Amino acid sequence: METPVTTVLQIDASARSGASDTHSFGSHTRRLTRRFVARWRAVRPANPVLHRDVGQVPPRPVSGAWIHAAFTPPEARAPWMLQTLAESDALVDELLASDLIVAGVPMYNFGVPAPFKAYIDNIVRVGRTFGFDRARSGEPYWPLLADAGKTLVLLGSRGDHGYGPGGRIAHMNHVEAAVGTAFGYIGITDLRCVAVEYDEFADDRLAASLTAAEAAVDALVDRLLDERRARRAA
Ligand SMILES: Cc1cc2nc3c(=O)[nH]c(=O)nc-3n(C[C@H](O)[C@H](O)[C@H](O)COP(=O)(O)O)c2cc1C
């Protein structure tokens, strides 16, 4: 299933436009996505990298017209419906064309930033990324990207600490679970996560967390490259 070319889709969702290693008060998630992509490119310079910056250019939230259009069969859609779905179609096309999605997603009030939620609402599309048939026996919903071999890398950041598995406030973390559930629903179940903590403290613990996250990103790039080499050799 792995093609020799891996198309990478970098998504940035932080409202902060600069990365924290190049801008004061910059974004840690942008720092991690850039680091990931730079390391990937160093080994695979020919691999296309698409960039979707939802933090700077948020997708439109779904509207009543969008829902009407999306749930109208494609052959019955009026021109206004095609227009209403144009942005969503472009986002879905981009996702379908990508093998490796590298998303920088900060925690905002325990969940994902609103523009990233709008992105999810635009790419979870009936007939394009999931199937629905109420007459189907058993499960009426099914994922359409299940056999596409896509991987989602989720690079997060939080102001507080203890949101990781088993952590003191893990139950308040609605980022990884929500993103994993939505992408899993459309068939992207290979989810890898790295996160920075302690941003609000801006002390040695933040520095240590950044160092650990950068090392984890580097190791993850190397592991994913190895996995792809192994798949191609098989
Ligand atoms: C609107 C907003 C809400 C936030 N909510 C939380 C939160 O619920 N929990 C938390 O630990 N940090 C919270 N933070 C802190 C961010 O998660 C933290 O600054 C993170 O580093 C942001 O990602 P970035 O560095 O990529 O911009 C919030 C920050 C903002 C701007």
Side-chain angles (χ1 to χ4, degrees):
M1 272 180 304
E2 225 269 305
T3 54
V5 171
T6 296
T7 297
V8 178
L9 172 59
Q10 174 185 349
I11 305 174
D12 284 299
S14 174
R16 305 201 270 194
S17 59
S20 66
D21 48 352
T22 52
H23 293 69
S24 50
F25 302 109
S27 153
H28 302 312
T29 54
R30 288 180 187 273
R31 173 173 177 163
L32 296 183
T33 56
R34 286 201 335 195
R35 187 179 183 96
F36 185 105
V37 169
R39 194 172 176 93
W40 189 276
R41 269 188 162 142
V43 179
R44 299 264 198 111
N47 283 179
V49 177
L50 313 174
H51 190 199
R52 177 64 53 180
D53 195 334
V54 302
Q56 295 303 297
V57 186
R60 254 170 307 158
V62 301
S63 60
W66 187 102
I67 296 166
H68 186 173
F71 285 90
T72 299
E75 62 280 4
R77 280 180 196 148
W80 71 264
M81 293 178 167
L82 303 179
Q83 209 180 332
T84 300
L85 293 175
E87 183 183 29
S88 168
D89 278 329
L91 294 173
V92 170
D93 289 345
E94 189 177 70
L95 181 70
L96 296 181
S98 305
D99 306 295
L100 177 58
I101 301 116
V102 182
V105 183
M107 174 183 283
Y108 285 177
N109 297 313
F110 314 104
V112 303
F116 193 74
K117 179 60 166 62
Y119 176 81
I120 289 175
D121 291 343
N122 273 280
I123 54 108
V124 177
R125 272 280 302 279
V126 67
R128 295 220 61 196
T129 57
F130 76 92
F132 173 63
D133 180 356
R134 62 170 69 84
R136 197 171 186 245
S137 65
E139 183 52 64
Y141 300 93
W142 68 99
L144 293 179
L145 308 188
D147 300 319
K150 297 185 194 299
T151 297
L152 172 63
V153 172
L154 181 55
L155 303 176
S157 184
R158 310 136 188 171
D160 200 355
H161 67 99
Y163 288 106
R168 73 182 225 288
I169 47 174
H171 62 287
M172 293 163 75
N173 180 354
H174 301 290
V175 175
E176 278 79 359
V179 173
T181 298
F183 279 79
Y185 179 73
I186 61 175
I188 303 176
T189 53
D190 181 15
L191 173 65
R192 321 288 177 108
C193 302
V194 175
V196 173
E197 296 201 309
Y198 296 102
D199 180 45
E200 309 281 11
F201 297 87
D203 58 13
D204 290 351
R205 292 172 297 175
L206 170 61
S209 182
L210 279 165
T211 301
E214 289 186 332
V217 164
D218 292 353
L220 179 56
V221 170
D222 297 350
R223 193 157 59 247
L224 289 169
L225 286 165
D226 281 348
E227 288 175 13
R228 276 164 164 69
R229 281 185 207 108
R231 271 199 253 169
R232 282 171 68 185

